[in-house]
PDB file of all heavy atoms in Angstrom:
ATOM      1  N   HIS A  99      55.796 -84.651 -32.593  1.00  0.00           N
ATOM      2  CA  HIS A  99      56.473 -84.443 -31.215  1.00  0.00           C
ATOM      3  C   HIS A  99      55.811 -83.321 -30.363  1.00  0.00           C
ATOM      4  O   HIS A  99      56.405 -83.007 -29.313  1.00  0.00           O
ATOM      5  CB  HIS A  99      58.036 -84.116 -31.457  1.00  0.00           C
ATOM      6  CG  HIS A  99      58.731 -85.251 -31.993  1.00  0.00           C
ATOM      7  ND1 HIS A  99      58.733 -85.583 -33.411  1.00  0.00           N
ATOM      8  CD2 HIS A  99      59.335 -86.333 -31.487  1.00  0.00           C
ATOM      9  CE1 HIS A  99      59.424 -86.635 -33.589  1.00  0.00           C
ATOM     10  NE2 HIS A  99      59.808 -87.230 -32.476  1.00  0.00           N
ATOM     11  N   HIS A 177      -2.494 -35.568 -12.067  1.00  0.00           N
ATOM     12  CA  HIS A 177      -1.306 -35.694 -12.963  1.00  0.00           C
ATOM     13  C   HIS A 177      -1.390 -34.894 -14.234  1.00  0.00           C
ATOM     14  O   HIS A 177      -2.540 -34.644 -14.689  1.00  0.00           O
ATOM     15  CB  HIS A 177      -1.113 -37.140 -13.470  1.00  0.00           C
ATOM     16  CG  HIS A 177      -0.662 -38.026 -12.311  1.00  0.00           C
ATOM     17  ND1 HIS A 177      -1.597 -38.467 -11.404  1.00  0.00           N
ATOM     18  CD2 HIS A 177       0.551 -38.502 -11.981  1.00  0.00           C
ATOM     19  CE1 HIS A 177      -0.909 -39.268 -10.506  1.00  0.00           C
ATOM     20  NE2 HIS A 177       0.291 -39.281 -10.891  1.00  0.00           N
ATOM     21  N   GLY A 188       7.270 -41.820 -25.515  1.00  0.00           N
ATOM     22  CA  GLY A 188       8.707 -41.992 -25.436  1.00  0.00           C
ATOM     23  C   GLY A 188       9.234 -43.212 -24.670  1.00  0.00           C
ATOM     24  O   GLY A 188      10.053 -43.948 -25.010  1.00  0.00           O
ATOM     25  N   PHE A 233      42.440 -54.988 -15.481  1.00  0.00           N
ATOM     26  CA  PHE A 233      40.975 -55.076 -15.527  1.00  0.00           C
ATOM     27  C   PHE A 233      40.339 -54.007 -14.780  1.00  0.00           C
ATOM     28  O   PHE A 233      39.438 -53.240 -15.306  1.00  0.00           O
ATOM     29  CB  PHE A 233      40.544 -56.352 -15.138  1.00  0.00           C
ATOM     30  CG  PHE A 233      39.256 -56.844 -15.752  1.00  0.00           C
ATOM     31  CD1 PHE A 233      39.264 -57.009 -17.176  1.00  0.00           C
ATOM     32  CD2 PHE A 233      38.167 -57.124 -15.080  1.00  0.00           C
ATOM     33  CE1 PHE A 233      38.116 -57.498 -17.819  1.00  0.00           C
ATOM     34  CE2 PHE A 233      36.961 -57.455 -15.605  1.00  0.00           C
ATOM     35  CZ  PHE A 233      36.934 -57.714 -17.054  1.00  0.00           C
ATOM     36  N   GLN A 291      12.455 -24.438 -20.656  1.00  0.00           N
ATOM     37  CA  GLN A 291      12.394 -25.950 -20.639  1.00  0.00           C
ATOM     38  C   GLN A 291      13.298 -26.410 -21.825  1.00  0.00           C
ATOM     39  O   GLN A 291      13.975 -27.405 -21.595  1.00  0.00           O
ATOM     40  CB  GLN A 291      11.035 -26.354 -21.014  1.00  0.00           C
ATOM     41  CG  GLN A 291       9.993 -26.079 -19.893  1.00  0.00           C
ATOM     42  CD  GLN A 291      10.144 -27.026 -18.665  1.00  0.00           C
ATOM     43  OE1 GLN A 291      10.959 -28.031 -18.752  1.00  0.00           O
ATOM     44  NE2 GLN A 291       9.552 -26.731 -17.625  1.00  0.00           N
ATOM     45  N   ALA A 296      18.444 -29.054 -23.419  1.00  0.00           N
ATOM     46  CA  ALA A 296      19.680 -29.103 -24.150  1.00  0.00           C
ATOM     47  C   ALA A 296      20.825 -29.316 -23.238  1.00  0.00           C
ATOM     48  O   ALA A 296      21.795 -30.052 -23.551  1.00  0.00           O
ATOM     49  CB  ALA A 296      19.758 -27.870 -24.996  1.00  0.00           C
ATOM     50  N   ALA A 324      50.499 -56.928 -23.519  1.00  0.00           N
ATOM     51  CA  ALA A 324      50.522 -58.234 -23.828  1.00  0.00           C
ATOM     52  C   ALA A 324      51.491 -58.688 -24.937  1.00  0.00           C
ATOM     53  O   ALA A 324      52.263 -59.604 -24.862  1.00  0.00           O
ATOM     54  CB  ALA A 324      49.121 -58.632 -24.185  1.00  0.00           C
ATOM     55  N   CYS A 343      46.464 -61.395 -29.066  1.00  0.00           N
ATOM     56  CA  CYS A 343      46.001 -60.051 -29.087  1.00  0.00           C
ATOM     57  C   CYS A 343      44.606 -59.860 -29.799  1.00  0.00           C
ATOM     58  O   CYS A 343      43.864 -59.083 -29.349  1.00  0.00           O
ATOM     59  CB  CYS A 343      47.047 -59.170 -29.855  1.00  0.00           C
ATOM     60  SG  CYS A 343      48.510 -58.899 -28.919  1.00  0.00           S
ATOM     61  N   TYR A 347      41.216 -58.288 -28.202  1.00  0.00           N
ATOM     62  CA  TYR A 347      40.255 -57.354 -28.911  1.00  0.00           C
ATOM     63  C   TYR A 347      38.836 -57.816 -28.739  1.00  0.00           C
ATOM     64  O   TYR A 347      37.944 -57.035 -28.522  1.00  0.00           O
ATOM     65  CB  TYR A 347      40.671 -57.062 -30.344  1.00  0.00           C
ATOM     66  CG  TYR A 347      41.486 -55.846 -30.458  1.00  0.00           C
ATOM     67  CD1 TYR A 347      42.888 -55.925 -30.731  1.00  0.00           C
ATOM     68  CD2 TYR A 347      40.981 -54.632 -30.200  1.00  0.00           C
ATOM     69  CE1 TYR A 347      43.682 -54.785 -30.810  1.00  0.00           C
ATOM     70  CE2 TYR A 347      41.759 -53.433 -30.272  1.00  0.00           C
ATOM     71  CZ  TYR A 347      43.086 -53.550 -30.550  1.00  0.00           C
ATOM     72  OH  TYR A 347      43.818 -52.403 -30.613  1.00  0.00           O
ATOM     73  N   VAL A 376       2.639 -45.642 -13.013  1.00  0.00           N
ATOM     74  CA  VAL A 376       1.234 -45.419 -13.334  1.00  0.00           C
ATOM     75  C   VAL A 376       0.537 -46.828 -13.380  1.00  0.00           C
ATOM     76  O   VAL A 376      -0.575 -46.966 -12.838  1.00  0.00           O
ATOM     77  CB  VAL A 376       1.101 -44.757 -14.694  1.00  0.00           C
ATOM     78  CG1 VAL A 376      -0.280 -44.754 -15.122  1.00  0.00           C
ATOM     79  CG2 VAL A 376       1.648 -43.341 -14.643  1.00  0.00           C
ATOM     80  N   LYS A 423     -38.868 -42.843 -11.910  1.00  0.00           N
ATOM     81  CA  LYS A 423     -38.804 -43.241 -13.415  1.00  0.00           C
ATOM     82  C   LYS A 423     -39.671 -42.286 -14.267  1.00  0.00           C
ATOM     83  O   LYS A 423     -40.755 -42.001 -13.892  1.00  0.00           O
ATOM     84  CB  LYS A 423     -39.244 -44.662 -13.555  1.00  0.00           C
ATOM     85  CG  LYS A 423     -39.123 -45.129 -14.978  1.00  0.00           C
ATOM     86  CD  LYS A 423     -39.658 -46.434 -15.261  1.00  0.00           C
ATOM     87  CE  LYS A 423     -39.528 -46.748 -16.693  1.00  0.00           C
ATOM     88  NZ  LYS A 423     -40.279 -47.866 -17.154  1.00  0.00           N
ATOM     89  N   ASP A 458     -32.943 -48.269  -8.368  1.00  0.00           N
ATOM     90  CA  ASP A 458     -33.876 -49.271  -8.192  1.00  0.00           C
ATOM     91  C   ASP A 458     -33.529 -50.128  -7.006  1.00  0.00           C
ATOM     92  O   ASP A 458     -33.554 -51.391  -6.968  1.00  0.00           O
ATOM     93  CB  ASP A 458     -33.954 -50.294  -9.417  1.00  0.00           C
ATOM     94  CG  ASP A 458     -34.616 -49.566 -10.638  1.00  0.00           C
ATOM     95  OD1 ASP A 458     -35.290 -48.569 -10.399  1.00  0.00           O
ATOM     96  OD2 ASP A 458     -34.448 -50.094 -11.733  1.00  0.00           O
ATOM     97  N   LEU A 576     -36.626 -32.553 -25.176  1.00  0.00           N
ATOM     98  CA  LEU A 576     -36.581 -33.113 -23.788  1.00  0.00           C
ATOM     99  C   LEU A 576     -37.965 -33.399 -23.274  1.00  0.00           C
ATOM    100  O   LEU A 576     -38.292 -34.435 -22.629  1.00  0.00           O
ATOM    101  CB  LEU A 576     -35.861 -32.214 -22.856  1.00  0.00           C
ATOM    102  CG  LEU A 576     -34.399 -31.994 -23.134  1.00  0.00           C
ATOM    103  CD1 LEU A 576     -33.738 -30.980 -22.085  1.00  0.00           C
ATOM    104  CD2 LEU A 576     -33.655 -33.361 -23.089  1.00  0.00           C
ATOM    105  N   ASP A 578     -40.544 -34.163 -25.082  1.00  0.00           N
ATOM    106  CA  ASP A 578     -40.999 -35.347 -25.801  1.00  0.00           C
ATOM    107  C   ASP A 578     -40.567 -36.603 -25.083  1.00  0.00           C
ATOM    108  O   ASP A 578     -41.134 -37.607 -25.098  1.00  0.00           O
ATOM    109  CB  ASP A 578     -40.444 -35.488 -27.281  1.00  0.00           C
ATOM    110  CG  ASP A 578     -41.045 -34.377 -28.087  1.00  0.00           C
ATOM    111  OD1 ASP A 578     -41.973 -33.636 -27.648  1.00  0.00           O
ATOM    112  OD2 ASP A 578     -40.431 -34.126 -29.151  1.00  0.00           O
ATOM    113  N   ALA A 598     -40.035 -28.889 -15.284  1.00  0.00           N
ATOM    114  CA  ALA A 598     -39.522 -30.086 -14.539  1.00  0.00           C
ATOM    115  C   ALA A 598     -40.459 -30.599 -13.434  1.00  0.00           C
ATOM    116  O   ALA A 598     -41.272 -29.709 -12.878  1.00  0.00           O
ATOM    117  CB  ALA A 598     -38.171 -29.757 -13.948  1.00  0.00           C
ATOM    118  N   GLU A 636     -32.744 -13.297 -19.761  1.00  0.00           N
ATOM    119  CA  GLU A 636     -33.044 -14.019 -20.979  1.00  0.00           C
ATOM    120  C   GLU A 636     -33.948 -13.240 -21.800  1.00  0.00           C
ATOM    121  O   GLU A 636     -33.921 -13.219 -23.023  1.00  0.00           O
ATOM    122  CB  GLU A 636     -33.705 -15.350 -20.586  1.00  0.00           C
ATOM    123  CG  GLU A 636     -32.683 -16.397 -20.223  1.00  0.00           C
ATOM    124  CD  GLU A 636     -33.315 -17.614 -19.520  1.00  0.00           C
ATOM    125  OE1 GLU A 636     -34.480 -17.893 -19.826  1.00  0.00           O
ATOM    126  OE2 GLU A 636     -32.597 -18.202 -18.643  1.00  0.00           O
TER     127      GLU A 636
END
Side-chain angles (χ1 to χ4, degrees):
H99 292 86
H177 290 76
F233 212 62
Q291 295 284 352
C343 289
Y347 265 108
V376 174
K423 184 185 177 192
D458 290 343
L576 296 179
D578 295 345
E636 282 164 28

